[in-house]
Coordinates of all heavy atoms in Angstrom, one line a residue:
M1 N 0.9 -1.2 0.0 CA 0.1 0.0 0.0 C 0.8 1.2 0.0 O 1.8 1.3 0.8 CB -0.9 0.1 1.3 CG -2.0 1.0 1.2 SD -3.0 1.1 2.7 CE -3.9 -0.4 2.6
R2 N 0.5 2.2 -0.9 CA 1.3 3.5 -0.9 C 1.3 4.2 0.4 O 0.1 4.1 1.1 CB 1.0 4.3 -2.1 CG 1.4 3.7 -3.4 CD 0.7 4.4 -4.6 NE 0.9 5.9 -4.5 CZ 0.1 6.8 -4.9 NH1 -1.1 6.6 -5.4 NH2 0.3 8.1 -4.9
K3 N 2.0 5.0 0.7 CA 2.0 5.8 2.0 C 0.7 6.6 2.1 O 0.1 6.6 3.0 CB 3.2 6.6 2.2 CG 3.3 7.3 3.6 CD 4.6 8.1 3.7 CE 4.8 8.6 5.1 NZ 5.9 9.3 5.4
I4 N 0.4 7.3 0.9 CA -0.7 8.2 1.0 C -2.0 7.3 1.3 O -2.9 7.8 1.9 CB -0.8 8.9 -0.3 CG1 -2.1 10.0 -0.2 CG2 -1.1 8.1 -1.5 CD1 -1.6 11.4 -0.2
E5 N -2.1 6.1 0.8 CA -3.2 5.3 1.0 C -3.4 4.8 2.5 O -4.5 4.8 3.0 CB -3.2 4.1 0.0 CG -3.6 4.5 -1.3 CD -3.2 3.4 -2.3 OE1 -2.7 2.2 -1.8 OE2 -3.4 3.6 -3.6
R6 N -2.2 4.6 3.0 CA -2.1 4.2 4.4 C -2.5 5.3 5.3 O -3.4 5.3 6.2 CB -0.8 3.8 4.8 CG -0.6 3.3 6.2 CD 0.7 2.8 6.5 NE 1.8 3.7 6.3 CZ 2.2 4.6 7.1 NH1 1.6 4.8 8.2 NH2 3.2 5.4 6.9
L7 N -2.1 6.5 5.0 CA -2.3 7.8 5.7 C -3.9 8.1 5.6 O -4.5 8.5 6.6 CB -1.5 8.9 5.3 CG -0.1 8.9 5.6 CD1 0.7 10.0 5.0 CD2 0.2 8.9 7.2
R8 N -4.4 7.9 4.4 CA -5.8 8.2 4.2 C -6.6 7.3 5.0 O -7.7 7.7 5.6 CB -6.1 8.0 2.6 CG -6.7 9.2 1.9 CD -6.6 9.0 0.5 NE -7.5 7.9 0.0 CZ -7.8 7.9 -1.3 NH1 -7.4 8.7 -2.2 NH2 -8.5 6.9 -1.6
K9 N -6.3 6.0 5.0 CA -7.0 5.1 5.9 C -7.0 5.4 7.3 O -7.9 5.4 8.0 CB -6.4 3.7 5.6 CG -7.2 2.5 6.2 CD -6.7 1.2 5.6 CE -7.4 0.0 6.3 NZ -6.7 -0.2 7.6
E10 N -5.9 5.9 7.8 CA -5.6 6.2 9.2 C -6.5 7.5 9.5 O -7.1 7.6 10.6 CB -4.2 6.5 9.5 CG -3.3 5.3 9.7 CD -1.9 5.7 10.0 OE1 -1.8 6.5 10.5 OE2 -1.0 4.6 9.7
A11 N -6.4 8.5 8.5 CA -7.0 9.7 8.9 C -8.7 9.4 8.8 O -9.4 10.0 9.6 CB -6.8 10.6 7.7
T12 N -9.1 8.5 7.8 CA -10.5 8.2 7.9 C -11.0 7.6 9.1 O -12.1 7.8 9.8 CB -10.8 7.3 6.6 OG1 -10.3 7.9 5.4 CG2 -12.2 7.0 6.5
E13 N -10.2 6.6 9.6 CA -10.6 5.8 10.9 C -10.6 6.8 12.0 O -11.5 6.8 13.0 CB -9.6 4.8 11.1 CG -9.8 3.5 10.1 CD -8.6 2.5 10.2 OE1 -7.7 2.7 11.1 OE2 -8.8 1.5 9.5
S14 N -9.6 7.8 12.1 CA -9.6 8.7 13.3 C -10.8 9.7 13.2 O -11.3 9.8 14.2 CB -8.3 9.5 13.2 OG -7.2 8.7 13.3
A15 N -11.2 10.0 12.0 CA -12.3 10.9 11.8 C -13.5 10.3 12.2 O -14.5 10.8 12.9 CB -12.4 11.6 10.4
E16 N -13.7 9.0 11.8 CA -14.9 8.3 12.1 C -15.1 8.0 13.5 O -16.2 8.0 14.1 CB -14.9 7.0 11.2 CG -15.3 7.2 9.7 CD -15.2 6.0 8.9 OE1 -14.8 4.8 9.4 OE2 -15.6 6.2 7.7
L17 N -13.8 7.7 14.3 CA -13.9 7.5 15.7 C -14.5 8.9 16.3 O -15.1 8.7 17.4 CB -12.5 7.3 16.2 CG -12.1 5.8 16.1 CD1 -10.7 5.7 16.5 CD2 -13.0 4.8 16.8
R18 N -14.3 9.9 15.7 CA -14.9 11.2 16.4 C -16.3 11.5 15.8 O -16.6 12.6 16.1 CB -13.8 12.3 16.0 CG -12.5 12.1 16.7 CD -11.7 13.4 16.7 NE -10.5 13.2 17.7 CZ -10.7 13.4 18.9 NH1 -11.7 13.9 19.5 NH2 -9.6 13.4 19.7
G19 N -16.8 10.7 15.1 CA -18.2 10.8 14.6 C -18.3 11.5 13.3 O -19.4 11.8 12.8
H20 N -17.2 11.8 12.7 CA -17.3 12.4 11.3 C -17.6 11.5 10.2 O -17.3 10.4 10.3 CB -15.9 13.2 11.0 CG -15.6 14.4 12.0 ND1 -16.3 15.4 12.0 CD2 -14.6 14.2 12.9 CE1 -15.8 16.2 13.0 NE2 -14.8 15.5 13.6
T21 N -18.0 12.0 9.1 CA -18.2 11.2 7.9 C -17.5 11.8 6.7 O -18.1 12.9 6.2 CB -19.7 11.1 7.5 OG1 -20.5 10.6 8.7 CG2 -19.9 10.1 6.4
L22 N -16.5 11.5 6.3 CA -15.5 12.2 5.3 C -16.0 12.0 4.0 O -16.4 10.7 3.8 CB -14.1 11.7 5.6 CG -13.4 12.1 6.8 CD1 -11.8 11.7 6.7 CD2 -13.5 13.5 7.2
G23 N -16.0 12.9 3.3 CA -16.3 12.8 1.9 C -15.3 12.5 1.1 O -14.3 11.8 1.5
R24 N -15.4 12.9 -0.2 CA -14.3 12.5 -1.2 C -13.0 13.1 -0.8 O -12.9 14.3 -0.4 CB -14.6 13.0 -2.5 CG -15.3 12.1 -3.4 CD -15.8 12.8 -4.7 NE -14.7 13.3 -5.5 CZ -14.0 12.6 -6.4 NH1 -14.5 11.5 -6.8 NH2 -13.0 13.3 -7.0
W25 N -12.0 12.4 -1.0 CA -10.5 13.0 -0.9 C -10.1 13.8 -2.1 O -10.2 13.4 -3.1 CB -9.5 11.9 -0.6 CG -9.6 11.3 0.8 CD1 -10.3 10.2 1.2 CD2 -9.1 11.8 2.1 NE1 -10.1 10.0 2.5 CE2 -9.3 10.9 3.0 CE3 -8.1 12.9 2.2 CZ2 -8.9 11.2 4.4 CZ3 -7.7 13.1 3.5 CH2 -8.1 12.3 4.6
E26 N -9.8 15.0 -1.8 CA -9.2 15.7 -3.0 C -7.8 15.9 -2.8 O -7.2 16.1 -1.6 CB -9.9 17.3 -2.9 CG -11.5 17.2 -3.2 CD -12.0 18.5 -3.2 OE1 -11.5 19.3 -3.9 OE2 -13.0 18.6 -2.8
H27 N -7.0 15.7 -3.9 CA -5.6 15.8 -3.8 C -5.0 17.0 -4.4 O -5.4 17.5 -5.4 CB -5.1 14.6 -4.6 CG -5.4 13.2 -4.0 ND1 -4.4 12.5 -3.2 CD2 -6.5 12.5 -4.0 CE1 -5.0 11.4 -2.7 NE2 -6.3 11.4 -3.1
F28 N -4.0 17.6 -3.6 CA -3.2 18.8 -4.0 C -1.8 18.4 -4.0 O -1.3 18.1 -3.0 CB -3.6 19.9 -3.1 CG -5.0 20.2 -2.9 CD1 -5.7 19.6 -1.9 CD2 -5.8 21.0 -3.8 CE1 -7.1 19.9 -1.8 CE2 -7.1 21.2 -3.6 CZ -7.8 20.7 -2.5
D29 N -1.3 18.2 -5.2 CA 0.1 17.7 -5.2 C 0.2 16.4 -4.5 O -0.6 15.4 -4.8 CB 1.1 18.7 -4.7 CG 1.0 20.1 -5.4 OD1 0.8 20.1 -6.7 OD2 1.2 21.2 -4.8
D30 N 1.1 16.4 -3.5 CA 1.2 15.2 -2.8 C 0.2 15.0 -1.6 O 0.0 14.0 -1.0 CB 2.6 15.0 -2.0 CG 3.7 14.7 -3.1 OD1 3.3 14.3 -4.2 OD2 4.9 14.9 -2.9
N31 N -0.5 16.1 -1.3 CA -1.3 16.2 -0.1 C -2.7 15.8 -0.5 O -3.1 15.8 -1.7 CB -1.3 17.5 0.5 CG 0.1 18.0 0.8 OD1 1.1 17.1 0.9 ND2 0.5 19.2 0.7
A32 N -3.5 15.6 0.5 CA -5.0 15.2 0.3 C -5.8 15.9 1.4 O -5.2 16.0 2.6 CB -5.0 13.6 0.3
L33 N -7.0 16.1 1.0 CA -7.9 16.8 2.0 C -9.2 16.2 1.8 O -9.7 16.1 0.7 CB -7.8 18.3 1.8 CG -8.7 19.2 2.6 CD1 -7.8 19.7 3.7 CD2 -9.2 20.4 1.9
A34 N -10.0 15.9 3.0 CA -11.3 15.6 2.9 C -12.2 16.2 4.0 O -11.6 16.6 5.1 CB -11.5 14.0 3.2
K35 N -13.3 16.6 3.5 CA -14.3 17.3 4.6 C -15.3 16.4 5.1 O -15.7 15.5 4.4 CB -15.0 18.5 3.8 CG -14.1 19.8 3.7 CD -14.9 20.9 3.2 CE -14.1 22.1 3.1 NZ -14.7 23.1 2.3
C36 N -15.7 16.7 6.3 CA -16.8 16.0 6.9 C -18.2 16.4 6.1 O -18.4 17.7 5.9 CB -17.0 16.2 8.3 SG -18.4 15.5 9.2
I37 N -18.9 15.5 5.8 CA -20.2 15.7 5.0 C -21.3 15.9 5.9 O -22.5 16.1 5.4 CB -20.5 14.8 3.8 CG1 -20.6 13.3 4.5 CG2 -19.3 14.7 2.8 CD1 -20.9 12.3 3.4
N38 N -21.2 15.6 7.2 CA -22.3 15.8 8.1 C -22.8 17.2 8.1 O -22.0 18.1 8.1 CB -22.0 15.5 9.4 CG -21.8 13.9 9.7 OD1 -22.2 13.2 8.8 ND2 -21.1 13.6 10.8
P39 N -24.1 17.4 7.9 CA -24.6 18.8 7.7 C -24.3 19.6 8.9 O -24.5 19.4 10.1 CB -26.2 18.8 7.6 CG -26.5 17.3 8.1 CD -25.2 16.4 7.9
G40 N -23.7 20.9 8.6 CA -23.4 21.8 9.7 C -22.0 21.5 10.4 O -21.7 22.2 11.3
C41 N -21.3 20.6 10.0 CA -20.1 20.3 10.6 C -18.9 21.0 9.8 O -18.4 22.0 10.2 CB -19.8 18.8 10.6 SG -18.2 18.5 11.4
G42 N -18.5 20.5 8.6 CA -17.5 21.2 7.8 C -16.0 20.9 8.4 O -15.2 21.7 7.8
A43 N -15.9 20.1 9.3 CA -14.4 19.7 9.6 C -13.7 19.1 8.5 O -14.3 18.4 7.7 CB -14.4 18.8 10.9
C44 N -12.4 19.3 8.5 CA -11.6 18.6 7.5 C -10.5 17.9 8.0 O -10.0 18.1 9.1 CB -11.2 19.6 6.4 SG -10.0 20.7 7.1
A45 N -10.1 16.8 7.3 CA -8.8 16.1 7.5 C -7.9 16.4 6.4 O -8.2 16.3 5.3 CB -9.2 14.6 7.6
Q46 N -6.6 16.4 6.8 CA -5.6 16.7 5.9 C -4.3 15.7 5.9 O -4.1 15.3 7.0 CB -5.2 18.1 6.3 CG -4.0 18.6 5.4 CD -3.5 20.0 5.9 OE1 -4.3 21.0 6.0 NE2 -2.3 20.3 6.3
I47 N -3.9 15.3 4.8 CA -2.8 14.4 4.8 C -1.5 15.1 4.1 O -1.7 15.7 3.1 CB -3.0 13.1 4.1 CG1 -4.1 12.3 4.9 CG2 -1.8 12.3 3.8 CD1 -4.8 11.2 4.1
I48 N -0.4 15.0 4.8 CA 0.8 15.5 4.3 C 1.9 14.4 4.3 O 2.4 14.2 5.3 CB 1.3 16.8 4.8 CG1 0.2 17.8 5.0 CG2 2.5 17.3 4.2 CD1 0.5 19.0 5.9
P49 N 2.0 13.6 3.2 CA 3.0 12.4 3.2 C 4.3 12.8 3.5 O 5.1 12.0 4.1 CB 2.8 11.8 1.7 CG 1.5 12.3 1.3 CD 1.3 13.6 1.9
R50 N 4.8 14.0 3.0 CA 6.1 14.4 3.4 C 6.1 15.7 4.0 O 6.4 16.8 3.3 CB 6.8 14.6 2.0 CG 7.2 13.2 1.4 CD 8.3 13.5 0.4 NE 7.8 14.2 -0.9 CZ 7.5 13.8 -2.0 NH1 7.4 12.5 -2.2 NH2 7.0 14.5 -2.9
P51 N 5.8 15.7 5.3 CA 5.5 17.0 6.1 C 6.9 17.7 6.3 O 7.9 17.1 6.3 CB 4.9 16.6 7.4 CG 5.5 15.1 7.6 CD 5.6 14.6 6.3
M52 N 6.7 18.9 6.5 CA 7.8 19.9 7.0 C 8.2 19.4 8.4 O 7.4 18.8 9.1 CB 7.4 21.4 6.9 CG 7.1 21.8 5.5 SD 8.5 21.8 4.4 CE 9.3 23.3 4.8
P53 N 9.3 19.7 8.9 CA 9.7 19.4 10.2 C 8.8 19.9 11.3 O 8.6 19.2 12.3 CB 11.0 20.2 10.4 CG 11.6 20.2 9.1 CD 10.5 20.4 8.1
N54 N 8.2 21.0 11.0 CA 7.2 21.6 12.0 C 5.7 21.1 11.7 O 4.7 21.7 12.1 CB 7.2 23.1 12.2 CG 7.1 23.7 10.8 OD1 6.9 23.1 9.8 ND2 6.8 25.1 10.9
D55 N 5.5 20.2 10.7 CA 4.2 19.8 10.4 C 3.9 18.4 10.6 O 5.0 17.7 11.1 CB 3.9 20.1 8.9 CG 2.7 20.8 8.6 OD1 1.8 20.5 9.3 OD2 2.6 21.5 7.6
I56 N 2.7 17.9 10.6 CA 2.5 16.5 10.8 C 1.8 15.8 9.6 O 1.3 16.5 8.8 CB 1.5 16.4 12.0 CG1 0.3 17.3 11.9 CG2 2.3 16.6 13.3 CD1 -0.6 17.1 12.9
E57 N 1.9 14.5 9.5 CA 1.3 13.8 8.4 C -0.1 13.8 8.4 O -0.7 13.9 7.2 CB 1.9 12.3 8.5 CG 3.3 12.2 8.2 CD 3.8 10.7 8.3 OE1 3.1 9.9 9.2 OE2 4.7 10.3 7.6
I58 N -0.8 13.7 9.4 CA -2.2 13.7 9.5 C -2.7 14.8 10.3 O -2.3 14.8 11.6 CB -2.9 12.3 10.0 CG1 -2.4 11.1 9.0 CG2 -4.4 12.4 10.1 CD1 -2.8 9.8 9.5
G59 N -3.6 15.7 9.9 CA -4.1 16.8 10.7 C -5.4 17.2 10.4 O -6.1 16.6 9.6
G60 N -5.8 18.3 10.9 CA -7.1 18.8 10.6 C -8.1 18.7 11.8 O -7.8 17.8 12.7
T61 N -9.2 19.4 11.7 CA -10.3 19.5 12.7 C -10.9 18.2 12.8 O -11.3 17.8 13.9 CB -11.1 20.6 12.6 OG1 -11.5 20.6 11.2 CG2 -10.6 21.9 12.8
A62 N -11.0 17.4 11.8 CA -11.8 16.2 11.7 C -11.1 15.1 12.5 O -11.8 14.2 13.0 CB -12.0 15.6 10.3
V63 N -9.8 15.1 12.6 CA -9.1 14.1 13.5 C -8.7 14.7 14.9 O -8.3 13.9 15.8 CB -7.8 13.7 12.7 CG1 -8.1 12.9 11.5 CG2 -6.9 14.8 12.6
A64 N -9.0 16.0 15.2 CA -8.6 16.6 16.4 C -9.9 16.8 17.3 O -9.8 16.8 18.5 CB -7.9 18.0 16.1
L65 N -11.1 17.1 16.7 CA -12.2 17.4 17.3 C -13.4 16.5 17.1 O -13.5 16.0 15.9 CB -12.6 18.9 17.1 CG -11.6 19.9 17.2 CD1 -12.0 21.2 16.6 CD2 -11.4 20.1 18.8
D66 N -14.3 16.3 18.0 CA -15.4 15.5 17.7 C -16.4 16.2 16.8 O -16.5 17.4 16.8 CB -16.2 15.1 19.1 CG -15.3 14.2 20.0 OD1 -14.5 13.5 19.3 OD2 -15.6 14.2 21.2
C67 N -17.1 15.4 16.1 CA -18.1 15.9 15.1 C -19.3 16.4 15.9 O -19.9 15.8 16.6 CB -18.6 14.9 14.1 SG -19.6 15.6 12.8
P68 N -19.6 17.7 15.8 CA -20.8 18.3 16.7 C -22.1 17.6 16.2 O -23.0 17.5 17.1 CB -20.7 19.8 16.3 CG -20.1 20.0 15.0 CD -19.1 18.8 15.0
V69 N -22.2 17.3 14.8 CA -23.5 16.7 14.4 C -23.8 15.4 15.1 O -24.7 15.2 15.6 CB -23.2 16.6 12.8 CG1 -24.7 16.0 12.3 CG2 -23.1 18.0 12.2
S70 N -22.7 14.5 15.0 CA -22.9 13.2 15.5 C -23.0 13.3 17.2 O -23.7 12.4 17.6 CB -21.8 12.2 15.1 OG -20.7 12.4 15.9
Y71 N -22.3 14.2 17.7 CA -22.5 14.3 19.1 C -23.9 14.7 19.5 O -24.4 14.2 20.3 CB -21.5 15.5 19.6 CG -21.6 15.6 21.1 CD1 -21.2 14.7 22.0 CD2 -22.5 16.9 21.6 CE1 -21.4 15.0 23.4 CE2 -22.6 17.0 22.9 CZ -22.0 16.1 23.9 OH -22.3 16.3 25.1
F72 N -24.4 15.6 18.7 CA -25.8 16.1 18.9 C -26.7 14.8 18.8 O -27.6 14.6 19.5 CB -26.2 17.2 17.8 CG -27.6 17.6 18.0 CD1 -27.9 18.5 19.1 CD2 -28.6 17.2 17.1 CE1 -29.2 18.9 19.3 CE2 -29.9 17.7 17.2 CZ -30.2 18.5 18.3
D73 N -26.6 14.0 17.7 CA -27.3 12.9 17.5 C -27.2 11.8 18.7 O -28.2 11.3 19.1 CB -26.9 12.2 16.2 CG -27.3 12.9 14.9 OD1 -28.0 13.9 15.0 OD2 -26.8 12.7 13.9
L74 N -26.0 11.8 19.1 CA -25.7 10.9 20.2 C -26.5 11.3 21.4 O -27.1 10.6 22.1 CB -24.3 10.9 20.5 CG -23.6 9.6 21.1 CD1 -23.7 8.4 20.1 CD2 -22.2 9.9 21.5
A75 N -26.5 12.7 21.7 CA -27.1 13.1 22.9 C -28.5 13.1 22.9 O -29.2 12.6 24.0 CB -26.7 14.8 23.0
T76 N -29.1 13.4 21.7 CA -30.6 13.3 21.6 C -31.1 11.8 21.7 O -32.0 11.5 22.3 CB -31.2 14.0 20.4 OG1 -30.3 13.4 19.2 CG2 -30.9 15.4 20.4
S77 N -30.4 10.9 21.0 CA -30.8 9.5 21.2 C -30.6 9.0 22.5 O -31.5 8.1 23.0 CB -30.0 8.6 20.1 OG -28.7 8.6 20.6
H78 N -29.6 9.5 23.2 CA -29.4 9.1 24.7 C -30.5 9.6 25.5 O -31.0 9.0 26.3 CB -28.1 9.7 25.1 CG -28.0 9.5 26.6 ND1 -27.7 8.3 27.2 CD2 -27.8 10.3 27.7 CE1 -27.5 8.4 28.5 NE2 -27.8 9.7 28.8
L79 N -31.0 10.9 25.3 CA -31.9 11.6 26.1 C -33.4 10.8 25.8 O -34.2 10.5 26.7 CB -32.3 13.0 25.6 CG -31.2 13.9 26.2 CD1 -31.3 15.4 25.7 CD2 -31.2 14.0 27.8
S80 N -33.5 10.3 24.4 CA -34.9 9.7 24.2 C -35.0 8.4 24.8 O -36.0 7.9 25.0 CB -35.1 9.6 22.7 OG -34.1 8.6 22.2
E81 N -33.7 7.8 25.3 CA -34.0 6.6 26.0 C -34.2 6.7 27.5 O -34.6 5.7 28.2 CB -32.5 5.7 25.8 CG -32.5 5.2 24.4 CD -31.2 4.7 24.1 OE1 -30.3 4.5 25.1 OE2 -30.8 4.5 22.9
V82 N -33.9 7.9 28.0 CA -34.1 8.1 29.4 C -35.5 8.4 29.6 O -36.1 9.4 29.0 CB -33.2 9.3 29.9 CG1 -33.5 9.6 31.3 CG2 -31.7 9.0 29.6
P83 N -36.2 7.7 30.5 CA -37.7 8.0 30.8 C -37.8 9.3 31.5 O -37.0 9.6 32.5 CB -38.1 6.7 31.6 CG -36.8 6.2 32.2 CD -35.7 6.5 31.3
V84 N -38.8 10.0 31.0 CA -39.0 11.4 31.7 C -39.9 11.1 33.0 O -40.9 10.6 32.8 CB -39.8 12.3 30.7 CG1 -40.1 13.6 31.4 CG2 -38.9 12.4 29.5
T85 N -39.2 11.6 34.0 CA -39.9 11.3 35.4 C -40.5 12.6 35.8 O -39.8 13.8 35.6 CB -38.9 10.8 36.3 OG1 -37.8 11.6 36.5 CG2 -38.4 9.4 36.1
D86 N -41.7 12.5 36.3 CA -42.3 13.7 36.8 C -42.1 13.9 38.4 O -42.6 13.0 39.1 CB -43.8 13.7 36.4 CG -44.5 15.0 36.7 OD1 -43.7 16.1 37.3 OD2 -45.6 15.3 36.4
E87 N -41.3 14.8 38.8 CA -41.0 14.7 40.2 C -42.2 15.4 41.0 O -42.1 15.4 42.2 CB -39.7 15.4 40.4 CG -38.5 14.8 39.7 CD -38.0 13.6 40.5 OE1 -38.4 13.5 41.6 OE2 -37.4 12.8 39.8
Q88 N -43.1 16.0 40.4 CA -44.0 16.8 41.1 C -45.1 15.9 41.7 O -45.5 14.9 41.0 CB -44.7 17.8 40.2 CG -43.6 18.9 39.8 CD -44.3 20.0 39.0 OE1 -45.3 19.7 38.4 NE2 -43.6 21.1 38.8
G89 N -45.6 16.3 42.8 CA -46.8 15.5 43.5 C -46.5 14.3 44.1 O -47.4 13.4 44.5
G90 N -45.3 13.9 44.2 CA -44.9 12.7 44.8 C -45.0 12.6 46.4 O -45.4 11.7 47.0
D91 N -44.6 13.7 47.0 CA -44.4 13.7 48.4 C -45.5 14.7 49.0 O -45.6 15.9 48.8 CB -43.0 14.1 48.8 CG -42.6 15.4 48.2 OD1 -43.2 15.8 47.2 OD2 -41.5 15.9 48.6
S92 N -46.4 14.2 49.8 CA -47.5 14.9 50.4 C -47.2 15.0 51.9 O -46.7 14.2 52.4 CB -48.8 14.4 50.1 OG -49.0 13.1 50.5
Ligands
ZN1 ZN1 -18.2 16.2 11.3

């Protein structure tokens, strides 16, 4: 496997662990960039196979931060599973 393919796989896995859904990889010279396609997110993952000394091979908000969209989905699905209890009128 070429290095860029390995890095792409790693970046995709990292982004998915954070809840992102990466769209198509776009290539710029040796580098590649993919954006999260979840509505309202827009985080991106970036691959630099031959990084500068002060740069990294895999970077971008999609591998550094959780996807707000999937976090929201997670939060709401979690809430819907919790029974709503009415605390009023219990103690007289
Ligand atoms: Zn996202």
